[in-house]
């Protein structure tokens, strides 16, 4: 158990989602074990002791977005509702608990909310998330809340500007120091046309790790595949991209075996992309700026209400098509394959990016870097334009 | 609960029947289904399963009759003649919602009729019909004879003849299987129950309900196990055949091996190609995991194909389908029937051939020839033959098609299950094999005691709602708590539901303890600790480390608040429960 705590504390630091030294984790087996910052560690123990649950993670997020969202919310709001696909599908909404409500027994207040949701934002504390089955699940829920807050805050700022004292300075700091340059430089990709299964597995593991190391994708958010003849080698459902050893399924193209029942929920999308494009490699992840930009539809008077699922249009973000579609059996597999062939990339509304490599992963990786870089540039271009408009009107 | 709920109490000895209101407080603490049934056994839980006073409870849950996905299921609860444990089993089909639509949340049947009868329930009332002309008929003929009376739950010859693993069969082909509750009905001379209601179930907060339902369906779509192109919606549970073979945990030749080279003969794609399998579902279920042949026959589930296949070393799909047909019509549990034949096969040094199996199944159901002994299940067969080690069972319930050497949480869950060797109580296959909601290390005991405890509580709540376990390959208790809140108009949380589940679970364990079950009964067959599975393809399947297994079991007891020997710290548990 202690090794698991160390592992996930390490991941929270490496993926830069938590402030160094501001993580607390508790796990209960037949006894309770906790480690980390003393105050957060105590809090996780107190929360976990009130829940039928295996583990709890509490940490100060490395960015203040969750805190800002909480403070920007209406005084009577009990939750914030990010609208990215991850939240829409798995979190529903994210409960918030304010400082005043934490004054008496903060663990009781947080546990009451966690008894109904996977993660909460506690003012002055950070993000607290639970894992009913495993500690990894608590880490995933923390990451999901972090990701959702990141996306929502960027969208809100673009729409409403800065509303709180200190917010603009914090955002400037984020823009200047937190964003790593996106690049595929100095990464080594195998030569094209791999045929040996062992080499394919090794390449998938390597490229999965690259996506996380380069900050394109958070550990848990994405999937990856490579086609050899009539077999798709694809990462398994709920697998972390930086830990794919033993988590890649060989799936026959003709469905003569159902071994791939544990493959990623996007298996159907991957299969159809291979059929439509003849590509050899597919990379899918949830880079945050691409998710943000995909949700900025400027269509006026559109009758579609459920854009994620029902929008029939193909929009263009630069040279990248954006389509609707939900995960798994939700239509994404229908809408992505027809548009991804020529540009080699596509974005799914509120969800993430698919890129293909006609020969191998290098092209797919470069495309994903390119899409996220352009989305990042476009986001800040629009933000700066908004600031310009605002200052003119002042 | 805001709705006034009623139970029908039927005394077959006197023929008296009455409807009573169930107190809302009572439902709030047990929900319905398994929980309600277990609660209603209190005070009579030490009676013999065949004592006429032992009740059999048919209970639906508070979501039944609404469009809540996968919630039109019924739990049947009594004490098992096969295991001696408290016993519940749920089944889908159409029966559950028609019962609720007849104005009832539950039926409690007690006593023994002097002659065979059918209990017929409608919205207008209930009656006992003479059924001597149905006695000795198969389930198919019985269902056809009663088809104008709505949905039918019936027993076949196996139940009438007291086969200890006889089922209650739903007219649509779903089974209340495993523990022999068909024999309990048979002893009561109750051939069938029919229900036909027409009431519509209200939903307190429709907008909240629709939102929660949409959340559930979105999660179903995101789950490869449910709606993936290789998932159970497409291929039914035989979708697991290829996976279990690949994971090297398919019980083969009475668990002597864990890979069967002929498994492809009955995989999901093979069945689809051979029988033109079509999708069918329980009432209102979007998953539609049931599969029917083009001629309308229900096709077998994963456990059935694997046990009539690998466990008996048979790679003949048509034989397996015929075995399934026979068990369904005779009213017998397929898992125990196949596992009993397999244990018997090992004991005599030869597994039954495909040609022999049909005759043997009929002999079992009619208790004649070899069937007299085989009708008692594998434990009694093995003991009678002087080879108790060949019964691959826990608490006399035969293990299903997940070899515990390939999933240590499953190993632990088999022994802690209150109804014996069952995969569906904690259902760790979900995370150990299917990676839902997250993956856990199948070859490690670390943390498994806590995981099993939490899952047992959660699933006891699920069985009390009564929802289908397959829904939880996508959704979670969080979304179902929201559905329940929307239906009842009262707030329910996942944590609150788990607490109800814990109460149900511990009540069952307490009943078992009062019937003499101890830690010694929480054990796996010795084979799993001394013989390796079939290693290969980079997967090592060693015997389970008994010391580590015991250590984790002790942890489990401590987490449950029990003594290290698995007993309750005091005798007052029931008095402290509502």
């Amino acid at each position: 158990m202690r090794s698991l705590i160390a592992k996930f504390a390490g991941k929270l630091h490496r993926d830069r989602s938590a402030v160094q030294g501001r993580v607390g984790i508790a796990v209960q087996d037949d006894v309770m074990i906790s480690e980390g910052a003393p105050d957060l560690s105590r809090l996780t123990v107190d929360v976990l002791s009130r829940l039928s649950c295996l583990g709890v993670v509490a940490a100060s997020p490395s960015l203040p977005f969750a805190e800002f969202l909480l403070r920007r919310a209406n005084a009577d709001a009990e939750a914030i509702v990010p609208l990215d696909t991850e939240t829409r599908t798995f979190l529903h909404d994210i409960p918030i608990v304010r400082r005043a409500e934490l004054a008496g027994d903060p663990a009781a207040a947080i546990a009451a909310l966690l008894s109904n949701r996977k993660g909460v934002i506690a003012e002055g504390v950070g993000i607290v998330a639970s894992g009913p089955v495993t500690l990894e699940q608590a880490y995933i829920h923390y990451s999901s809340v972090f990701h959702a807050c990141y996306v929502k805050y960027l969208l809100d700022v673009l729409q409403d500007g800065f509303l709180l004292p200190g917010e603009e300075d914090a955002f400037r700091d984020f823009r200047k120091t937190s964003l790593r340059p996106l690049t595929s430089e100095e990464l080594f990709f195998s030569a094209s046309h791999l045929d040996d299964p062992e080499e394919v597995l090794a390449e998938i593991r390597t490229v999965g790790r690259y996506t996380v190391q380069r900050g394109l994708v958070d550990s848990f958010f994405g999937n990856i595949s490579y086609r050899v003849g009539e077999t798709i080698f694809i990462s398994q459902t709920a697998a972390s991209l930086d830990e794919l050893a033993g988590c890649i399924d060989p799936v026959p193209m003709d469905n003569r075996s159902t071994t791939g029942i544990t493959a990623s929920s996007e298996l159907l999308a991957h299969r159809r992309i291979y059929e439509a494009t003849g590509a050899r490699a597919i990379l899918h992840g949830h880079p945050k700026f691409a998710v943000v930009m995909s949700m900025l539809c400027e269509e006026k008077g559109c009758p579609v209400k459920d854009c994620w699922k029902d929008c029939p249009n193909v929009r263009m973000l630069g040279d990248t098509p954006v389509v609707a579609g939900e995960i798994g059996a939700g239509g994404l597999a229908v809408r992505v394959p027809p548009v991804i062939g020529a540009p080699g990339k596509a974005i799914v509304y509120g969800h993430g990016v698919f890129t293909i490599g006609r020969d191998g992963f290098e092209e797919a990786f470069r495309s994903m870097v390119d899409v996220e870089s352009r989305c990042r540039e476009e986001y800040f271009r629009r933000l700066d334009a908004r600031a310009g408009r605002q200052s003119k009107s002042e | 609960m805001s709705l006034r709920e009623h139970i029908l109490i039927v005394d077959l000895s006197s023929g008296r029947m009455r409807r009573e209101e169930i107190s809302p407080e009572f439902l709030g603490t047990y929900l319905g289904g398994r929980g309600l049934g277990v609660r209603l056994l209190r005070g009579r839980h030490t009676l013999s399963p065949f004592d006429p006073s032992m009740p059999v409870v048919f209970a639906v849950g508070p979501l039944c009759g609404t469009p809540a996905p996968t919630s039109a299921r019924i739990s049947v609860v009594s004490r098992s003649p096969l295991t001696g444990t408290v016993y519940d089993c749920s089944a889908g089909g159409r029966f559950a919602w028609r019962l609720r639509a007849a104005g009832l949340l539950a039926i409690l049947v007690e006593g023994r009729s002097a002659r065979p009868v059918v209990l017929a329930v409608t919205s207008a009332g209930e009656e006992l019909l003479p059924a001597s002309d149905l006695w000795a008929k198969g389930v198919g003929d019985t269902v056809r004879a009663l088809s104008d009376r709505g949905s039918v739950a019936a027993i076949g010859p196996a139940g009438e003849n007291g086969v200890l693993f006889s089922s209650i069969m739903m007219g649509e082909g779903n089974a209340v299987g495993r523990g022999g509750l068909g024999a309990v009905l048979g002893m009561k001379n109750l051939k069938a129950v029919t229900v036909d209601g027409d009431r519509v179930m209200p939903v307190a907060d429709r907008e909240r309900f629709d939102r929660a339902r949409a959340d559930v369906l979105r999660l179903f779509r995101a789950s490869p196990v449910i709606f993936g192109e290789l998932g159970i919606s497409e291929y039914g549970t035989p979708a697991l055949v290829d996976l279990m073979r690949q994971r090297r945990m398919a019980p083969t030749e009475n668990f002597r091996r864990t890979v069967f080279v002929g498994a492809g003969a009955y995989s999901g794609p093979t069945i689809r190609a051979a029988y033109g399998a079509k999708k069918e579902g329980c009432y209102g279920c979007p998953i539609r995991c049931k599969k029917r042949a083009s001629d309308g026959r229900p096709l077998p589930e994963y456990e059935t194909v694997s046990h009539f296949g690998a466990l008996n070393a048979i790679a003949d799909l048509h034989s397996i389908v015929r075995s399934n047909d026979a068990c369904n019509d005779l009213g017998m549990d397929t898992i125990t029937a196949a596992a009993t034949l397999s244990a018997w096969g090992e004991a005599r040094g030869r597994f039954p051939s495909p040609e022999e199996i049909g005759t043997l199944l009929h002999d079992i159901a009619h208790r004649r020839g070899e069937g007299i002994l085989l009708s008692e299940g594998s434990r009694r067969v093995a003991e009678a033959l002087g080879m108790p080690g060949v019964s691959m069972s826990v608490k006399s319930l035969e293990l299903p098609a997940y070899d515990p050497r390939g999933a240590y949480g499953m190993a632990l869950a088999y022994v802690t299950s209150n109804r014996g060797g069952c995969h569906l109580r904690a259902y760790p296959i979900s995370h150990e094999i299917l990676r839902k909601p997250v993956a856990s290390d199948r070859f490690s005991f670390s943390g498994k005691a806590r995981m099993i405890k939490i899952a047992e509580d959660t699933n006891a709540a699920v069985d009390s709602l009564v929802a289908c376990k397959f829904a939880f390959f996508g959704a979670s208790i969080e979304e179902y708590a929201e559905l329940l809140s929307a239906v009842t108009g009262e707030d329910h949380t996942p944590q609150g539901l788990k607490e109800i589940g814990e109460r149900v679970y511990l009540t069952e364990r307490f009943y078992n303890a009062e019937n003499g079950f101890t830690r010694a009964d929480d054990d796996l067959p010795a084979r799993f600790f001394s013989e390796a599975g079939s290693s290969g393809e980079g997967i090592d399947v060693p015997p389970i480390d008994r010391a580590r297994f015991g250590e984790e079991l002790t942890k489990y007891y401590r987490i449950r608040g029990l003594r290290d020997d698995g007993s309750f710290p005091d005798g007052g548990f029931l008095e402290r429960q509502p």
Side-chain angles (χ1 to χ4, degrees):
Chain A
M1 286 295 187
R2 288 193 190 280
S3 62
L4 276 180
I5 292 176
K7 173 183 172 176
F8 290 109
K11 286 193 79 158
L12 287 165
H13 293 145
R14 278 196 304 281
D15 65 18
R16 307 200 308 171
S17 62
V19 174
Q20 184 82 25
R22 293 297 302 154
V23 174
I25 297 178
V27 187
Q28 56 178 345
D29 195 3
D30 58 333
V31 293
M32 183 83 76
I33 303 169
S34 72
E35 289 192 356
D39 58 330
L40 292 173
S41 175
R42 257 195 317 278
L43 177 72
T44 54
V45 167
D46 290 346
V47 169
L48 187 52
S49 63
R50 290 169 162 87
L51 296 172
S52 178
C53 188
L54 195 118
V56 166
V57 169
S60 303
S62 55
L63 297 167
F65 298 164
E67 184 87 8
F68 286 155
L69 285 171
L70 182 150
R71 287 163 55 196
R72 287 163 66 110
N74 290 336
D76 58 350
E78 294 178 344
I80 63 163
V81 188
L83 294 175
D84 62 284
T85 300
E86 199 66 28
T87 306
R88 189 171 136 82
T89 305
F90 299 106
L91 299 176
H92 311 311
D93 59 34
I94 305 171
I96 52 180
V97 55
R98 295 171 196 280
R99 202 179 300 273
E101 299 167 89
L102 294 169
D105 184 350
I110 292 169
L113 295 172
L114 274 182
S115 77
N116 211 28
R117 281 292 185 264
K118 299 173 180 76
V120 307
I121 302 167
E123 188 173 13
V125 176
I127 296 170
V128 188
S130 62
V133 178
T134 64
L135 183 56
E136 182 183 23
Q137 203 180 6
Y139 163 77
I140 291 168
H141 292 162
Y142 177 93
S143 293
S144 300
V145 173
F146 182 81
H147 175 89
C149 290
Y150 195 126
V151 169
K152 179 173 171 54
Y153 183 69
L154 262 58
L155 280 166
D156 287 2
V157 164
L158 197 55
Q159 181 177 317
D160 303 325
F162 301 110
L163 307 177
L164 304 169
E167 200 179 357
E168 189 167 3
D169 290 342
F171 195 87
R172 192 178 301 117
D173 186 51
F174 151 71
R175 185 172 175 179
K176 190 172 168 190
T177 63
S178 296
L179 293 171
R180 287 181 283 189
L182 294 167
T183 173
S184 59
E185 298 305 313
E186 297 175 19
L187 297 178
F188 175 76
F189 295 89
S190 286
S192 59
H193 286 232
L194 297 173
D195 288 318
D196 175 50
E198 287 306 317
E199 288 181 17
V200 170
L201 296 178
E203 180 72 352
I204 291 175
R205 289 196 299 269
T206 301
V207 176
R209 205 170 55 246
Y210 286 166
T211 62
V212 180
Q213 282 173 354
R214 289 292 161 107
L216 271 177
V217 175
D218 290 341
S219 172
F220 180 65
F221 302 117
N223 45 67
I224 181 169
S225 73
Y226 192 91
R227 179 180 179 179
V228 178
E230 291 305 299
T231 302
I232 301 172
F233 291 85
I234 185 167
S235 56
Q236 294 182 341
T237 183
S240 293
L241 281 175
D242 54 344
E243 294 181 87
L244 289 178
C247 294
I248 299 164
D249 283 325
V251 184
M253 286 285 284
D254 63 0
N255 283 353
R256 67 180 178 277
S257 160
T258 52
T259 304
I261 192 174
T262 54
S264 162
S265 59
E266 312 292 18
L267 170 63
L268 182 58
H270 285 239
R271 184 193 305 277
R272 289 189 175 163
I273 291 170
Y274 285 123
E275 288 168 348
T277 66
R280 294 188 62 97
I282 298 174
L283 201 51
H284 168 57
H286 306 180
K288 297 183 181 72
F289 282 88
V291 176
V292 169
M293 293 308 298
S294 73
M295 296 170 72
L296 291 171
C297 176
E298 288 161 349
E299 184 85 18
K300 304 288 183 222
C302 176
V304 175
K305 299 283 179 242
D306 200 346
C307 313
W308 297 261
K309 186 159 65 77
D310 296 335
C311 179
N313 300 326
V314 179
R315 289 184 289 130
M316 296 303 291
L317 264 171
D319 60 350
T320 309
V322 182
V323 295
E326 288 186 320
I327 355 178
L332 177 159
V334 174
R335 292 206 168 97
V336 172
V339 301
I340 197 172
K345 53 198 174 183
I347 305 176
V348 179
Y349 187 105
H351 181 57
V353 179
F354 283 82
T355 58
I356 59 173
R358 290 166 183 88
D359 293 321
F361 280 113
E362 185 162 9
E363 180 192 358
F365 196 91
R366 286 185 192 281
S367 286
M368 188 171 280
V369 167
D370 177 61
V371 171
E372 179 65 352
S373 300
R374 284 169 183 261
C375 286
R376 190 191 283 184
E377 285 166 15
E378 177 61 14
Y379 175 84
F380 286 117
R381 189 193 67 73
R382 293 192 193 194
L383 189 71
D384 293 341
R386 184 189 194 288
R389 284 196 305 275
Q390 193 170 11
S391 66
K392 272 185 195 165
S393 68
E394 284 164 2
Chain B
M1 307 273 164
S2 51
L3 194 65
R4 291 157 68 96
E5 302 283 5
H6 291 83
I7 181 171
L8 171 66
I9 297 173
V10 179
D11 179 358
L12 291 171
S13 298
S14 65
R16 280 194 295 272
M17 295 185 275
R18 64 185 192 279
R19 292 192 181 207
E20 290 182 357
E21 185 177 341
I22 309 171
S23 84
E25 184 189 359
F26 195 68
L27 289 171
T29 48
Y30 291 96
L31 293 176
R34 173 179 165 187
L36 179 63
V38 167
R39 175 62 183 83
L40 292 171
L41 289 196
R42 190 195 287 185
R44 289 190 272 184
H45 56 273
T46 56
L47 293 174
S48 157
F50 288 149
D51 187 312
S53 297
M54 170 57 75
V56 177
V57 179
F58 294 73
V60 303
L63 299 176
C64 183
T66 74
T70 81
S71 298
R73 294 182 70 81
I74 187 153
S75 262
V76 185
V77 188
S78 188
R79 192 173 169 208
S80 163
L82 179 69
T83 65
T85 64
V86 60
Y87 205 84
D88 76 284
C89 185
S90 83
R94 302 286 185 275
F95 189 94
W97 75 267
R98 286 194 169 117
L99 173 66
R100 190 117 200 263
L104 293 168
L105 195 77
I107 301 173
L108 184 150
V109 181
E110 58 194 355
R112 182 176 196 276
S113 171
R115 284 170 294 281
V117 289
V118 168
L119 170 63
V121 178
T122 68
S123 305
E126 42 278 339
E127 57 183 327
L128 290 170
L129 310 171
S132 295
D133 56 336
L134 293 176
W135 206 252
K137 285 192 186 302
V139 169
D141 286 343
T142 304
V143 170
R144 277 187 287 279
L146 296 169
S147 59
D148 61 345
R149 291 186 173 272
S151 281
V152 181
I155 61 169
E160 297 169 9
N161 296 319
V163 173
L164 295 186
F165 46 92
S166 52
S167 304
I168 303 168
M169 296 299 299
M170 299 293 145
E172 299 84 6
N174 307 66
V176 174
R178 311 297 336 262
L181 297 192
V184 180
L185 289 198
M187 185 282 309
K188 292 180 181 303
N189 262 330
L190 182 59
K191 177 69 178 176
V193 181
T194 68
V195 290
D196 196 7
D198 54 12
R199 297 182 192 175
V200 176
M201 284 305 111
V203 171
D205 185 339
R206 191 73 205 197
E207 190 182 331
R208 188 177 186 182
F209 181 88
D210 289 344
R211 199 167 50 244
R213 187 171 188 279
D215 287 342
V216 169
L217 294 181
R218 198 176 296 119
L219 286 160
F220 283 2
R221 285 193 289 272
S223 167
V225 182
I226 296 176
F227 277 151
E229 58 173 333
L230 304 173
I232 58 174
S233 181
E234 290 298 323
Y235 291 100
T237 52
L240 297 175
V241 169
D242 292 327
L243 185 66
M244 291 301 155
R245 185 254 169 266
Q246 196 280 330
R247 300 294 193 264
R248 308 186 80 83
M249 56 180 292
T252 301
E253 296 177 8
N254 204 34
F255 290 86
R256 292 193 306 197
R257 284 187 269 281
T258 59
V259 171
F260 181 53
V261 292
Y266 50 79
S267 71
T270 306
I271 294 175
R272 174 187 273 187
Y275 285 91
K278 292 180 168 46
K279 289 185 183 183
E280 186 173 285
C282 300
Y283 173 75
C285 178
I287 300 174
R288 304 178 78 215
C289 72
K290 302 292 174 200
K291 300 290 167 260
R292 275 192 195 274
S294 50
D295 63 5
R297 276 185 294 173
L299 289 166
E301 300 275 352
Y302 163 67
E303 287 79 10
T304 304
V305 293
S306 188
H307 270 12
F308 276 117
L311 202 68
N312 282 284
I314 290 173
D316 178 340
L317 174 60
H318 302 303
S319 158
I320 293 167
V321 172
R322 282 196 304 274
S323 296
N324 185 58
D325 292 342
C327 285
N328 285 351
D329 197 56
L330 295 164
M332 283 195 306
D333 181 67
T334 54
I335 299 175
T336 289
T340 301
L341 288 171
S342 181
W344 179 67
E346 182 178 351
R348 68 180 183 148
R350 183 174 69 80
F351 293 106
S353 69
E355 294 72 31
E356 291 174 293
I357 285 207
T359 304
L360 285 166
L361 291 174
H362 280 83
D363 286 349
I364 291 170
H366 292 93
R367 296 189 72 141
R368 62 194 180 211
E370 301 274 20
I372 295 171
L373 176 60
L374 292 170
S375 68
E376 308 254 303
S378 71
R379 180 180 65 78
R380 292 168 177 88
V381 168
E383 286 173 355
L385 298 176
M387 299 177 70
V390 302
S391 171
M392 306 309 290
S393 60
V394 172
K395 300 184 183 72
S396 306
L397 189 68
E398 289 72 15
L399 299 180
Y402 309 90
D403 194 288
R405 286 164 294 202
Y408 292 178
M410 193 68 256
L412 195 61
Y414 279 146
V415 306
T416 61
S417 158
N418 285 326
R419 68 175 196 175
C422 164
H423 57 298
L424 289 167
R425 304 282 98 168
Y427 214 9
I429 289 304
S430 183
H431 52 87
E432 292 190 310
I433 301 299
L434 295 171
R435 306 180 61 84
K436 289 296 170 189
V438 288
S440 68
D441 181 354
R442 66 185 175 119
F443 289 116
S444 168
F445 277 113
S446 181
K448 293 289 169 70
R450 174 73 62 175
M451 290 181 211
I452 296 304
K453 186 268 182 195
I454 292 170
E456 285 173 340
D457 293 347
T458 303
N459 286 333
V462 168
D463 287 336
S464 303
L465 279 174
V466 185
C468 176
K469 301 283 191 338
F470 296 163
F472 298 84
F473 291 142
S476 71
I477 194 80
E478 182 180 330
E479 289 78 31
Y480 272 79
E482 190 65 10
L483 283 170
L484 182 62
S485 301
V487 167
T488 62
E490 299 164 0
D491 281 330
H492 292 268
T493 65
Q495 183 69 20
L497 291 180
K498 287 180 197 173
E499 285 163 11
I500 290 173
E502 182 177 39
R503 179 181 302 121
V504 173
Y505 180 88
L506 284 171
T507 300
E508 292 169 345
R509 186 165 180 101
F510 194 85
Y511 289 176
N512 284 348
E514 293 214 316
N515 282 315
F517 287 88
T518 67
R519 177 171 179 147
D521 298 290
D522 295 346
D523 203 8
L524 287 169
R527 166 166 290 160
F528 298 120
F529 302 111
S530 59
E531 299 174 24
S534 307
S535 300
E537 300 171 303
I539 300 172
D540 190 24
V541 191
I544 297 170
D545 182 329
R546 181 175 268 291
R548 185 68 188 88
F549 178 82
E551 183 185 315
E552 202 64 17
L553 183 59
T554 302
K555 275 188 186 180
Y556 169 86
Y557 292 143
R558 289 176 186 161
I559 292 166
R560 279 262 174 235
L562 304 171
R563 294 195 188 106
D564 284 2
D565 66 358
S567 66
F568 282 74
D570 68 76
F573 172 79
L574 288 184
E575 285 70 42
R576 293 192 293 275
Q577 306 309 311

